């Protein structure tokens, strides 16, 4: 869509000019198009919605086609650990977003599941999250169960809502954290809520706020730095609740954030200086939080059978541990 600024348009904000010239699109949508580089002025892309319009300027707006309301199937490879006519368990790789969200309209696990399961995929979780009972962060690897029918979805959702307190649901994660936890075993019982300072993060809050969050941990192995001082640990975390970023926030709350966690452990990057050269290089090359969903157990929602699955550490975490061990 091409527009020509008139003399009386001179000095007006670009987003206001566009909103007046294209009434079919909201100013918010037009501002987003500017920020996304979809608007050019005199042939050059602009990214400032507040830029002042010049008289006679040729302004072109490239409006992308609308995104389908429902996710479309995409042929994305899946590592299927178990599958029957009610559910499937997959081993998720790093970098795969579970369901469509802002900035991730496609290329997600849901897109892969739609292609894999077809019409059998449960829709009880909503059109944007069909079959999804629980999720893993984009850069967390490991086991995840997906419902293929409404009956399975309802049964699995009830188990996850109960957090395994009255049933066989079990979730265990392996994590590499900075420093050495002083106790072999421990429990973090600290409520979580959205951070008031950073809305894209979670934070520990007082007991009268947020949602209950309980993580049980066990220190499996410790790693020393080049000077023999404590540098890092391999821990197993078992969830009694399942909140967003729970393990990452709880470990950071203890003062032992996950290696590679740019959100909750950015302040620990200087700790790499404590490591021997090979270990330092491995940590600096590790581009995600060192977290893997290693065990998943639950009751089959239809047959009643107790299922239990284990996933070995992915290659990048195995290499990281080998470097830390020296």
């Amino acid at each position: 869509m091409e527009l020509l600024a008139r003399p009386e348009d001179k000095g007006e904000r670009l987003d206001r000019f566009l909103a007046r010239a294209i009434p079919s699109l909201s100013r918010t949508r037009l501002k987003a198009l500017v920020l996304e580089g979809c608007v050019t002025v005199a042939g050059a892309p602009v990214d400032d919605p507040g830029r002042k319009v010049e008289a006679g300027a040729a302004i072109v707006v490239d409006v992308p086609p609308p995104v389908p309301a429902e996710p479309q199937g995409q042929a994305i490879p899946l590592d299927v650990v178990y599958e029957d006519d009610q559910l499937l368990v997959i081993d998720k790789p790093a970098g795969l977003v579970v369901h469509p969200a802002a900035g991730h309209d496609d290329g997600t696990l849901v897109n892969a599941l739609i292609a894999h399961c077809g019409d059998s995929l449960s829709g009880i979780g909503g059109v944007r999250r069909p079959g999804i009972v629980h999720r893993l962060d984009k850069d967390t690897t490991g086991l995840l169960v997906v419902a293929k029918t409404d009956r399975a979805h309802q049964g699995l959702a009830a188990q996850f809502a109960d957090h395994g307190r009255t049933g066989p649901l079990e979730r265990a994660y392996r994590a590499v954290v900075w420093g050495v936890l002083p106790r072999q075993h421990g429990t973090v019982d600290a409520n979580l809520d959205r951070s008031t300072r950073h809305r894209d993060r979670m934070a520990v809050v007082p007991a009268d706020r947020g949602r209950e969050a309980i993580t049980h941990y066990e220190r499996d192995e410790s790693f020393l730095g080049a000077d023999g001082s404590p540098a890092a640990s391999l821990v197993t975390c078992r969830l009694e609740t399942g909140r967003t970023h729970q393990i990452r926030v709880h470990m950071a709350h203890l003062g032992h954030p996950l290696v590679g966690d740019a959100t909750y452990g950015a302040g620990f990057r200087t700790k790499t200086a404590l490591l021997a050269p090979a270990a330092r290089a491995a940590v600096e090359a590790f581009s995600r939080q060192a977290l893997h969903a290693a065990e998943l157990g639950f009751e089959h929602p239809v047959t009643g059978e107790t299922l239990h699955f284990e996933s070995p550490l992915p290659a990048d975490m195995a290499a990281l541990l080998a470097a830390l061990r020296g």
Side-chain angles (χ1 to χ4, degrees), residues 2 13 66 70 87 96-98 102 119 128 134 136 151 169 182 189 196 203 206 211 213 243 250 256 274:
E2 186 169 352
R13 281 177 59 101
E70 297 186 17
L87 57 86
L96 182 62
V97 175
V98 170
D119 293 338
R128 302 287 282 180
H134 66 123
L136 301 176
R151 183 180 178 187
L169 180 69
D189 185 349
T196 56
R211 304 178 70 187
R243 309 305 180 201
H250 273 176
H256 300 279
L274 301 175

Side-chain angles (χ1 to χ4, degrees), residues 101-277:
H104 298 284
D105 289 320
D106 59 10
T108 70
L109 173 61
V110 162
N111 297 106
L113 290 169
I114 291 172
H116 180 84
C117 301
D119 293 338
S120 69
L121 194 63
S122 167
I124 198 170
V127 295
R128 302 287 282 180
R129 306 183 183 189
I132 301 301
V133 181
H134 66 123
R135 68 184 186 88
L136 301 176
D137 294 336
K138 173 185 175 183
D139 290 324
T140 296
T141 55
L143 298 168
L144 186 145
V145 60
V146 176
K148 294 170 68 175
T149 68
D150 287 351
R151 183 180 178 187
H153 200 295
Q154 290 170 334
L156 289 168
Q159 292 184 59
F160 277 84
D162 181 62
H163 304 301
R165 288 173 175 143
T166 62
L169 180 69
E170 181 181 10
R171 288 170 291 171
Y173 294 71
R174 310 296 299 282
V176 183
V177 304
W178 285 113
V180 175
L181 292 158
R183 299 172 57 190
Q184 190 76 32
H185 306 270
T187 295
V188 186
D189 185 349
N191 284 18
L192 298 180
D193 201 354
R194 188 70 58 182
S195 170
T196 56
R197 296 180 57 191
H198 305 282
R199 299 304 294 173
D200 60 337
R201 303 183 189 181
M202 303 300 289
V204 168
V205 297
D208 60 346
R209 289 179 48 207
R211 304 178 70 187
E212 179 186 37
I214 301 173
T215 303
H216 306 285
Y217 68 83
E218 178 177 356
R219 190 183 72 224
D220 300 320
E221 193 174 353
S222 301
F223 311 104
L224 301 180
D227 62 355
S229 61
S233 305
L234 173 65
V235 299
T236 295
C237 295
R238 298 186 182 276
L239 297 183
E240 189 171 323
T241 57
R243 309 305 180 201
T244 300
H245 299 176
Q246 179 172 317
I247 291 173
R248 298 166 63 188
V249 179
H250 273 176
M251 290 296 102
H253 180 64
L254 291 180
H256 300 279
L258 273 59
V259 169
D261 193 336
T263 301
Y264 299 106
F268 279 69
R269 290 173 182 163
T270 56
K271 294 289 185 181
T272 57
L274 301 175
L275 302 173

